[in-house]
Amino acid sequence: PPFPDIQVKELEKRASGQAFELILSPRSKEAVPEFPLSPPKKKDVSLEEIQKKLEAAEERRKVNLEQLNDFEKKLGGNAAERGSSFRKKLLFLFFNTRT
């Protein structure tokens, strides 16, 4: 049999098809899982590293805002004056047409 630790017991045939019961053998003590049972330990992150990540995120936000404002000017006008739905469309276009 391809799986010696599994027994297949056929139950009564039914109008909807066949029914089987799978009987698994108890786990052997020698069996070692191929994956770790606990997640890997997280690296301690220093306050300095967190601060650097926050500064980088703020810089990306500023660059994105500048690019969005440039994009808005190219399209001709202030999106805020046209309304929030126009601004949402503008944001969609901006973030989906960038390379």
Side-chain angles (χ1 to χ4, degrees):
F3 299 101
D5 54 343
I6 299 176
Q7 294 178 358
V8 179
K9 181 180 173 184
E10 188 173 350
L11 302 177
E12 294 178 25
K13 288 188 178 183
R14 300 175 184 179
S16 61
Q18 295 181 326
F20 297 93
E21 182 178 355
L22 296 178
I23 304 168
L24 305 176
S25 63
R27 182 176 172 175
S28 67
K29 292 183 180 178
E30 301 115 30
V32 178
E34 295 179 15
F35 55 89
L37 294 178
S38 60
K41 301 286 184 205
K42 287 190 175 183
K43 174 183 125 178
D44 288 338
V45 181
S46 71
L47 186 58
E48 186 177 301
E49 288 175 296
I50 294 171
Q51 188 63 36
K52 284 180 184 177
K53 288 181 180 184
L54 287 172
E55 289 170 2
E58 180 64 21
E59 186 61 31
R60 286 191 304 273
R61 189 191 68 76
K62 286 179 183 177
V63 168
N64 278 341
L65 188 58
E66 288 173 10
Q67 290 175 344
L68 178 61
N69 289 335
D70 291 343
F71 185 71
E72 184 180 1
K73 286 176 188 172
K74 286 180 187 175
L75 291 180
N78 186 350
E81 291 175 4
R82 296 186 187 193
S84 64
S85 64
F86 180 77
R87 181 79 174 173
K88 288 177 187 175
K89 290 176 187 175
L90 182 66
L91 286 168
F92 176 80
L93 278 173
F94 175 70
F95 286 108
N96 289 298
T97 58
R98 294 191 324 174
T99 55

